Amino acid sequence: MTDSKRRKSTLVAEKRYATKGGSTASSKSKPAAKKPASKRRAKPPRRSGGNFITRFFGWLFGLIWGLIWRTGMIVLLLVGLAVALIYSTLPEVTALLDGRARGSVTLMDRDGKVFAWRGDQFGGVITTDTVSPHLKNAVVATEDKRFYYHFGISPRGVASAVRINLREGRGPLSGHGGSTITQQTAKLLCLGVPYDPEVWKSEAEYESDCRQGSLWRKIKEAVYAMAMEAKYSKEEILDIYLNRAFLGAGARGFEAASQRYFGKSAAQVNPSEAAMLAGLLVAPTRYAPTNSLKRSQERAQVVLGLMEEQGYLTAEQARTARANPARLSEAAAAQAGGYFADWVMSELPDYFGGNTTEDVIIKTTLDQRIQTSAEEAMRFIFQEKVRDGSKAQAAIVVMSADGAVRAMVGGRDTRVTGAFNRATQAARQTGSSFKPFVYATALEMGHSPLDTVVDEPYCINIPGSGQWCPKNYTNKYYGRVTLAHALKDSLNVPAVKVAEAMGLDNVRRVASDFGIESDLAAGPALALGASESSLLEMTGAYAGILNGGSSVEPYGLTELRLQGENEVLMATGTGIGERVINAEAAGQLIWMMEKVISEGSGRRAALPGWQAAGKTGTTQAARDAWFIGFTADYVAGVWMGYDDNTPLSGVTGGGLPAEIWHETMIRVHEGLSPKPLPMQAPRQPSVIAKPKPAQPLGGLGQAVDKLLKDLFGN
């Protein structure tokens, strides 16, 4: 191959630099092929505004997300620390089962049967292992069906409650709270804050604060609930709840409620009874069967439905329970002796009564059969003899001759607790029911029921008041009459004359010694019952006449001891005190008072086949009407009137009060054999006081006479 034929290669420099004119040394050679241009996809022009908005929202989202998870982590950390702190303060479960700030008082009748409860009742510690399975299931089904699956709070439950509240037109936190059983237990524990009497005015104020439903309070409850879930097992939490829940009528815990309403242990309740108890949790006072058995049974039907729905009862079990609703025990259904129980409690020292920190057992003098008799008699007369709409009231006391109170009714509404007791708290003028103490003074001073006194116009000059001229209820005078006749027909003039002749101080002393402790009038109107007294006092004073002339202190307590102990801390053997009049005088006075019922103003009180003695009483303008009397077995007193002192219409002591007394004593003596009264026939008569000449009336004397006619009735 020759050099001319050899292809000449292009130098690197020639490739790098071109000659002028664009030619190179190898310009004569064939030009190199052009490299094809790369095909790149054209990009749309960027919009500066859209790019900014995207970057801004991306930044904002990142900021918010960062704040959320950081805040969440901080909240979780704080909640965890709070739970840990509360966890460290929680005591053992056994210390939380009985959280009452005060004790209870259980009252038993004369036969040892429970008839009333006061204070906070606690029947003893129970657990989920010892109660009836039906009761445990009813509580869970009603209050927290997811109890065994949550960690103390239930977001689903809260969301459901908020939805229901909003649907019903309330605020999201008003009404249904969605609280779990654990949260409710935290509330019962008041978040671990114990009751301190130096901080709170009352236990009610403390409990009201514990139940407040603010958002902050709900948050604290949730934290406390989670700490409890960490500390205790589910069964232990349920144990606390079962022992501390308030279930109406003073019952704290399901054992106390079961005993209170059904007279049996919580271990023995059947499905219908368990459903009724669990149904109380939503509103204990409203659904308490002692307030409305029908309403409580209707609520129990709802609970039975929940138990069936959640598989705790078969269809057959639920059907049987619905067909046999729970009923109250005999004692709970009777609700007898509410006024009596309140009176006994008022007579106790505070450390054994309303402010007791111990559980106290009291045996009393109450006879439930007699109590029921008095209540039935009250209802019968007001239904049959008193016009509809009348606001008139009445009270009844029945006692033995030694002062042991067997029954007490303090008003027309017989099934009450804490109500005004007209038998013990109302001080009313006694009217002619005071007259037996005038004649008791005369008999004690040696006079006879057959001694005579002249019933005639009679006036007395009272220093500072002028002339006073008592009149009889009939506005008639009957001349010379025996003391027995004067008492039988309740004549006013003879009573005033005898009181003056015996000495008003002596009459006051006899009445006071018999137990009438109220301030007794200083003037001659004392003889006509111008003084005020309570029905209990007056009935006790009449008991002193029946027992032969010795004073009586009415009493209701026989024994007091602490629950679980046999030592008797207080006891009353009898209410009989010192002798006031001799036995002969008492026997003759009973003879005189028997004539009141058999022949005189108290005929409506007569008991066929029984000897009975008593006295009517009607006060000024018929504002008060009384009948008090006795048989050989029992003394009973009846008062009737208006609370506002409105005069009674057409009622005297010998009318409706005597009929109430009759209806009461007929029932009280049912099944008893008649016994004779311990009365004594009188001695031969003599003249007590010579008649004073009648004094002409006119001017001031006539005005005073008219005034006293209005003031003093029969």
Side-chain angles (χ1 to χ4, degrees), residues 113-117 260-261 290 328-336 368:
K113 297 179 180 178
V114 175
F115 73 91
W117 300 260
R260 173 72 176 87
Y261 299 129
T290 48
L328 291 168
S329 67
E330 184 178 343
Q335 295 186 48
Q368 292 200 61

Side-chain angles (χ1 to χ4, degrees), residues 556-601:
L557 179 149
T558 56
E559 289 183 0
L560 182 150
R561 57 183 174 82
L562 299 183
Q563 187 173 3
E565 298 185 9
N566 295 323
E567 181 184 0
V568 175
L569 301 181
M570 292 179 63
T572 303
T574 179
I576 295 180
E578 297 181 354
R579 178 166 293 281
V580 181
I581 60 176
N582 62 69
E584 182 182 6
Q588 291 179 347
L589 181 58
I590 294 171
W591 181 86
M592 293 172 64
M593 294 172 69
E594 190 275 337
K595 301 299 180 186
V596 173
I597 291 180
S598 62
E599 303 174 12
S601 59

Side-chain angles (χ1 to χ4, degrees), residues 160-177:
S160 176
V162 169
R163 185 175 65 255
I164 293 172
N165 291 335
L166 292 175
R167 186 174 66 234
E168 295 179 354
R170 294 190 294 262
L173 298 179
S174 301
H176 300 277

Side-chain angles (χ1 to χ4, degrees), residues 423-441:
T424 61
Q425 295 174 288
R428 308 295 292 239
Q429 285 191 334
T430 58
S432 294
S433 63
F434 184 85
K435 288 176 182 175
F437 306 108
V438 173
Y439 294 105
T441 306

Side-chain angles (χ1 to χ4, degrees), residues 284-349:
T285 301
R286 173 175 172 76
Y287 289 110
T290 48
N291 287 341
S292 173
L293 180 60
K294 181 180 178 182
R295 189 161 54 218
S296 186
Q297 289 174 336
E298 290 173 349
R299 172 62 183 164
Q301 296 290 327
V302 175
V303 177
L304 288 170
L306 292 172
M307 294 175 71
E308 180 183 8
E309 178 185 311
Q310 297 173 37
Y312 292 117
L313 291 176
T314 65
E316 180 60 30
Q317 287 176 317
R319 191 179 306 110
T320 301
R322 291 190 185 97
N324 299 278
R327 299 189 179 279
L328 291 168
S329 67
E330 184 178 343
Q335 295 186 48
Y339 290 108
F340 178 91
D342 289 342
W343 169 61
V344 170
M345 291 292 293
S346 71
E347 297 291 299
L348 292 174

Side-chain angles (χ1 to χ4, degrees), residues 548-560:
S550 295
S551 64
V552 159
E553 178 71 28
Y555 69 99
L557 179 149
T558 56
E559 289 183 0
L560 182 150

Side-chain angles (χ1 to χ4, degrees), residues 22 78 80 93 168 173 254 276 440 444 479 491 494 540 552 675 708:
L78 292 176
V93 170
E168 295 179 354
L173 298 179
F254 281 86
M276 181 175 285
E444 172 67 11
L491 303 179
V552 159
K675 299 177 184 176
L708 290 172

Side-chain angles (χ1 to χ4, degrees), residues 12 109 117 130 299 320 326 360 367 393 409 444 455 485 615 626 675 689:
V12 174
D109 64 14
W117 300 260
T130 61
R299 172 62 183 164
T320 301
V360 177
D367 187 314
Q393 283 288 349
V409 183
E444 172 67 11
D455 179 28
H485 182 180
K615 183 67 186 77
W626 303 70
K675 299 177 184 176

